């Protein structure tokens, strides 16, 4: 069993909070199943609990944490909206 905790942090000046997900990946008899959900708990505590519960049955539980920073949105380059293409155009 593998748990992957992904945290996407805001860039400097970003008002949106960090986003955290947890992916649970199971390999049972050669078949892989994967489930990803929003997560705001303690991934280490969850992994420790799963190890205590499943370890005696021989199930290996691994936890990996990945952190990244959200990309800053790209501004439009070169073009502005609105206005007239020619000066002093009265429009008719």
């Amino acid at each position: 069993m593998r748990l992957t905790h992904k945290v996407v942090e805001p860039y400097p000046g970003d008002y949106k909070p960090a986003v955290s997900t947890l992916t649970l990946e199971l390999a049972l008899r050669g078949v892989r199943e994967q489930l990803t959900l929003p997560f705001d708990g303690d991934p280490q505590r969850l992994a420790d609990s799963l190890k205590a519960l499943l370890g005696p049955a021989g199930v290996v539980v691994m936890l990996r944490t990945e952190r990244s920073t959200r990309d800053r949105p790209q501004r439009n380059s070169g073009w502005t909206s609105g206005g007239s293409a020619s000066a002093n155009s009265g429009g008719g």
Side-chain angles (χ1 to χ4, degrees):
M1 172 182 295
R2 182 179 4 201
L3 300 170
T4 304
H5 181 227
K6 292 185 180 181
V7 180
V8 180
E9 302 279 352
Y11 55 86
D14 187 5
Y15 63 91
K16 296 178 187 172
V19 176
S20 178
T21 59
L22 186 73
T23 300
L24 169 64
E25 187 177 344
L26 296 170
L28 300 171
R29 298 184 182 142
V31 177
R32 287 188 165 310
E33 295 291 335
Q34 185 173 322
L35 175 67
T36 300
L37 298 169
F39 186 75
D40 63 355
D42 181 349
Q44 187 61 58
R45 185 173 167 202
L46 175 61
D48 292 344
S49 295
L50 288 170
K51 286 177 187 177
L53 180 68
L54 301 173
V59 177
V60 177
V61 177
M62 296 181 294
L63 172 64
R64 181 177 71 202
T65 299
E66 299 175 1
R67 291 188 174 275
S68 62
T69 302
R70 185 175 14 253
D71 291 334
R72 191 179 288 270
Q74 299 295 319
R75 294 182 174 224
N76 294 340
S77 59
W79 290 96
T80 57
S81 61
S84 176
S86 61
N88 297 328
S89 60

